[in-house]
Amino acid sequence: RCRSRSHGAARLPRGVSAPRLAAHALVAALRSVRTVRVAIVAGMPAARPSTSTDRRSSDPSRLSRRVATPVMLPIAVDAMGGDHAPGPILEGCLRAVELLPLRVRFVAEQAPLQAAMAEMGLQEELDEAVARGLIQLVASGPSVGMDEEATVVRKKRDASINMAMDLVKAGQATAVYSAGNSGAVMAS
């Protein structure tokens, strides 16, 4: 359940589990990254395929030079963000790396991650994604809770959101995804 100070408790639609909803939300959020011209994000002019109405050239040999190959964008994911983390976040990341041209730096506390993998039966799927280089696990320390003040993130330097932000600062990821404490995300 989600709680809001002004509206009381909100309920999920019938037949929709919270983990399934979180996984779909993650895929949708990460899919929006794909709508951005990938080449522009990478700092290069965007390439586009030639069409029969393209006035510049109808020579098929030039087509291969103008079609951009998919860039595997590394995204840092705060796996401990959210009410049901890290299980649904992991499930969503595993689905996202299969559907989208991206790699995930999955930042999580190890004990809750191991428990979630065992509970949801995701160990084999995760091992395969790690072996293929689609997901990289990054260990973090205690996370910022949803009920904690945003400024506590400054005291918890090894929290998952801080470590995810540090990956972007170091150039090891191009963006951060977090479903956690919004104030902590802004403060980190």
Side-chain angles (χ1 to χ4, degrees):
R1 281 203 248 181
C2 301
R3 296 209 181 266
S4 171
R5 290 182 183 161
S6 61
H7 300 294
R11 296 191 187 272
L12 294 175
R14 270 189 179 228
V16 177
S17 68
R20 182 75 54 205
L21 184 63
H24 288 293
L26 178 62
V27 169
L30 292 175
R31 183 173 285 149
S32 69
V33 171
R34 187 177 188 191
T35 62
V36 175
R37 296 299 290 260
V38 173
I40 292 173
V41 171
M44 306 174 330
R48 62 184 185 81
S50 176
T51 63
S52 59
T53 59
D54 191 348
R55 294 179 189 202
R56 290 181 288 174
S57 172
S58 60
D59 179 13
S61 66
R62 293 191 62 189
L63 176 63
S64 63
R65 288 184 292 207
R66 285 193 301 219
V67 175
T69 56
V71 176
M72 298 293 278
L73 295 174
I75 307 293
V77 174
D78 171 16
M80 302 310 296
D83 294 330
H84 303 285
I89 308 296
L90 176 59
E91 185 180 24
C93 286
L94 289 168
R95 182 153 183 235
V97 296
E98 292 300 321
L99 297 174
L100 305 171
L102 57 88
R103 289 176 289 146
V104 171
R105 307 267 195 263
F106 196 78
V107 185
E109 295 176 45
Q110 293 305 300
L113 177 60
Q114 294 298 326
M117 286 187 307
E119 180 183 323
M120 298 177 77
L122 298 173
Q123 183 68 53
E124 188 175 308
E125 195 175 346
L126 177 62
D127 290 343
E128 182 182 322
V130 168
R132 291 174 50 202
L134 298 175
I135 293 183
Q136 176 187 4
L137 300 176
V138 179
S140 72
S143 298
V144 177
M146 296 296 282
D147 58 338
E148 292 183 89
E149 289 291 322
T151 54
V152 77
V153 75
R154 294 183 184 139
K155 295 175 186 168
K156 295 183 175 183
R157 287 308 312 157
D158 60 346
S160 58
I161 186 59
N162 282 332
M163 294 187 69
M165 292 288 192
D166 289 345
L167 290 171
V168 173
K169 288 178 193 172
Q172 296 176 13
T174 56
V176 172
Y177 172 83
S178 179
N181 186 321
S182 299
V185 171
M186 297 305 293
S188 65

